[in-house]
Amino acid sequence: MKIPVNMPPGVAFLNGHFTAENIITKVTNSSSLVGVFHDEASWQALPSNTVIYQVEMLSSAQGEGELFVGTTHLNPGRVGDEFYMTRGHFHQRREQGEVYFGLCGNGLLLLQNEQGEAHLEQVSPGSVHIIPGFTAHRLINTGTEILSALAVWPSVAGHDYAALEKGFAIRVVEQDGKIQAKEVQNG
Amino acid sequence: MKIPVNMPPGVAFLNGHFTAENIITKVTNSSSLVGVFHDEASWQALPSNTVIYQVEMLSSAQGEGELFVGTTHLNPGRVGDEFYMTRGHFHQRREQGEVYFGLCGNGLLLLQNEQGEAHLEQVSPGSVHIIPGFTAHRLINTGTEILSALAVWPSVAGHDYAALEKGFAIRVVEQDGKIQAKEVQNG
């Protein structure tokens, strides 16, 4: 009897796109990012269907211990002086971590613990970000190309956006032609 | 105040090697793979320090929900007619899954559930293997180059080698110049 060899899904490390029978995609437009960017007028001025980022993910088993695989594609651009970024979130199951691999483009990963302490990591092709539990995370595209990052996270992690109602403690803007990270009270 | 930007570890997607301050490595020689290959005489004939595979991993937080990142580098070669392979294991915490990304070389991922049902997936550059919980896994190098696979797995998963004392239900050998997968009773 010939034993079959299954062809698994594939990922292109150059851009994070998957090849698979089932790919789940989610597009996030500027209009759904209410209160995320600090320049309200510039945000209002964007066409509401402006795509800020897209996520594609593979279908996985779900349950305790099972892992998800997905790629975030964050477009380049700014809302006023502030670089495009993802909404950012804590995991609902706070102890659950996540791993990001930078694939293309250049940006920053903003990490913040439950005490509100934030720091930044450089995201670039081949960068590895082991995000521990109890840590909110947001991608920021400071470059001119799409920033794509491959992620692996526990299927039970979930998302808790409400816990970040006061936002992150750091904002990243372009000022005098330079990328500037600024501490803020209510980011 | 200037906010510092941390440089995270890096991985080369072409070969899985890490750049980081702390890299943990483990070398597995043929002499430690007792009872793994079916041709006992050919296994005995190997110099005991023959390197079959090496694992390098990044340092991570440990605990429920935290994730490890590592690369397995499996050398090409055969013991008798059987291709070099990793020992293979169930996770001690059976429900915990794992994700492999094929980076270089060509081979197979052998997966087996607790009922002893086994199947094979093709491992090649860019292949994505979402290994569910309750599933033992073993890499097999059927090519002529090093087979390197990047893995992400929960830090609490652990290894249970004893549960596989009877081995896997499939062996992969070279026969008549071809790669052949065979079902076996006590693999």
Side-chain angles (χ1 to χ4, degrees), chain A residues 98-171:
Chain A
E98 184 158 352
V99 174
Y100 277 12
F101 298 100
L103 297 182
C104 62
N106 285 282
L108 296 166
L109 177 63
L110 173 50
L111 299 167
Q112 182 163 314
N113 65 18
E114 290 188 298
Q115 289 71 49
E117 295 158 348
H119 73 277
L120 295 165
E121 291 185 358
Q122 190 82 46
V123 183
S124 58
S127 60
V128 183
H129 309 269
I130 303 180
I131 304 168
F134 305 96
T135 306
H137 37 286
R138 158 180 281 175
L139 281 170
I140 303 166
N141 189 345
T142 56
T144 55
E145 310 294 325
I146 293 174
L147 176 67
S148 296
L150 177 66
V152 177
W153 70 102
S155 73
V156 297
H159 297 84
D160 181 351
Y161 298 108
L164 273 163
E165 267 182 356
K166 288 188 183 171
F168 285 81
I170 293 176
R171 286 195 178 275

Side-chain angles (χ1 to χ4, degrees), chain B residues 125-148:
Chain B
S127 60
V128 183
H129 310 269
I130 304 180
I131 304 168
F134 305 97
T135 307
H137 37 288
R138 158 181 283 175
L139 281 170
I140 303 167
N141 189 343
T142 58
T144 55
E145 310 293 325
I146 293 174
L147 176 66
S148 296

Side-chain angles (χ1 to χ4, degrees), chain A residues 1-13 18 58-61 63-69 93 95-99 101-103 108 118-134 150-154 169-171 179 181-183, chain B residues 1-13 18 58-61 63-69 93 95-99 101-103 108 118-134 150-154 169-171 179 181-183:
Chain A
M1 198 196 84
K2 181 135 173 61
I3 297 171
V5 174
N6 298 335
M7 286 304 301
V11 64
F13 292 116
F18 294 118
L58 298 171
S59 63
S60 275
E64 195 72 40
E66 307 292 0
L67 298 171
F68 281 150
V69 177
R93 285 268 301 268
E95 80 286 1
Q96 301 288 315
E98 184 158 352
V99 174
F101 298 100
L103 297 182
L108 296 166
H119 73 277
L120 295 165
E121 291 185 358
Q122 190 82 46
V123 183
S124 58
S127 60
V128 183
H129 309 269
I130 303 180
I131 304 168
F134 305 96
L150 177 66
V152 177
W153 70 102
I170 293 176
R171 286 195 178 275
I179 300 161
K182 301 202 271 189
E183 286 194 77
Chain B
M1 197 197 84
K2 180 134 173 62
I3 297 171
V5 174
N6 298 335
M7 285 304 299
V11 63
F13 292 116
F18 294 117
L58 297 172
S59 64
S60 275
E64 196 72 39
E66 307 292 1
L67 298 171
F68 281 149
V69 177
R93 285 269 300 269
E95 81 286 1
Q96 300 289 315
E98 184 157 352
V99 174
F101 298 100
L103 297 183
L108 297 165
H119 73 277
L120 294 165
E121 290 185 359
Q122 191 82 48
V123 183
S124 57
S127 60
V128 183
H129 310 269
I130 304 180
I131 304 168
F134 305 97
L150 177 66
V152 177
W153 70 101
I170 293 175
R171 285 194 179 276
I179 299 162
K182 301 202 273 190
E183 288 192 76

Side-chain angles (χ1 to χ4, degrees), chain B:
Chain B
M1 197 197 84
K2 180 134 173 62
I3 297 171
V5 174
N6 298 335
M7 285 304 299
V11 63
F13 292 116
L14 287 177
N15 59 25
H17 289 296
F18 294 117
T19 312
E21 278 180 30
N22 276 311
I23 299 173
I24 302 143
T25 57
K26 191 192 169 198
V27 176
T28 299
N29 291 324
S30 58
S31 59
S32 70
L33 296 172
V34 180
V36 167
F37 296 97
H38 70 157
D39 183 341
E40 176 97 11
S42 294
W43 174 70
Q44 292 279 5
L46 286 176
S48 66
N49 60 353
T50 303
V51 175
I52 307 296
Y53 57 99
Q54 304 185 51
V55 174
E56 56 180 302
M57 61 182 284
L58 297 172
S59 64
S60 275
Q62 294 189 43
E64 196 72 39
E66 307 292 1
L67 298 171
F68 281 149
V69 177
T71 303
T72 299
H73 304 284
L74 176 57
N75 284 330
R78 279 182 287 135
V79 177
D81 61 357
E82 192 170 20
F83 292 102
Y84 278 8
M85 54 194 179
T86 61
R87 186 192 304 270
H89 59 266
F90 277 105
H91 287 153
Q92 200 153 17
R93 285 269 300 269
R94 282 289 190 283
E95 81 286 1
Q96 300 289 315
E98 184 157 352
V99 174
Y100 278 12
F101 298 100
L103 297 183
C104 62
N106 285 282
L108 297 165
L109 177 63
L110 173 51
L111 299 167
Q112 182 163 314
N113 66 18
E114 291 188 296
Q115 290 71 50
E117 295 158 347
H119 73 277
L120 294 165
E121 290 185 359
Q122 191 82 48
V123 183
S124 57
S127 60
V128 183
H129 310 269
I130 304 180
I131 304 168
F134 305 97
T135 307
H137 37 288
R138 158 181 283 175
L139 281 170
I140 303 167
N141 189 343
T142 58
T144 55
E145 310 293 325
I146 293 174
L147 176 66
S148 296
L150 177 66
V152 177
W153 70 101
S155 73
V156 297
H159 297 83
D160 182 350
Y161 297 107
L164 273 163
E165 266 183 355
K166 288 188 183 171
F168 285 82
I170 293 175
R171 285 194 179 276
V172 183
V173 298
E174 180 168 294
Q175 217 168 45
D176 308 325
K178 287 182 188 158
I179 299 162
Q180 306 268 7
K182 301 202 273 190
E183 288 192 76
V184 290
Q185 283 288 324
N186 283 313

Side-chain angles (χ1 to χ4, degrees), chain A residues 8 18-19 25 28 36 40 42-43 70 73 83 86 98 124 129 146-147 156 171 176 179 181-182 184:
Chain A
F18 294 118
T19 313
T25 57
T28 299
V36 166
E40 176 97 11
S42 295
W43 173 71
H73 305 284
F83 292 102
T86 61
E98 184 158 352
S124 58
H129 309 269
I146 293 174
L147 176 67
V156 297
R171 286 195 178 275
D176 308 325
I179 300 161
K182 301 202 271 189
V184 290

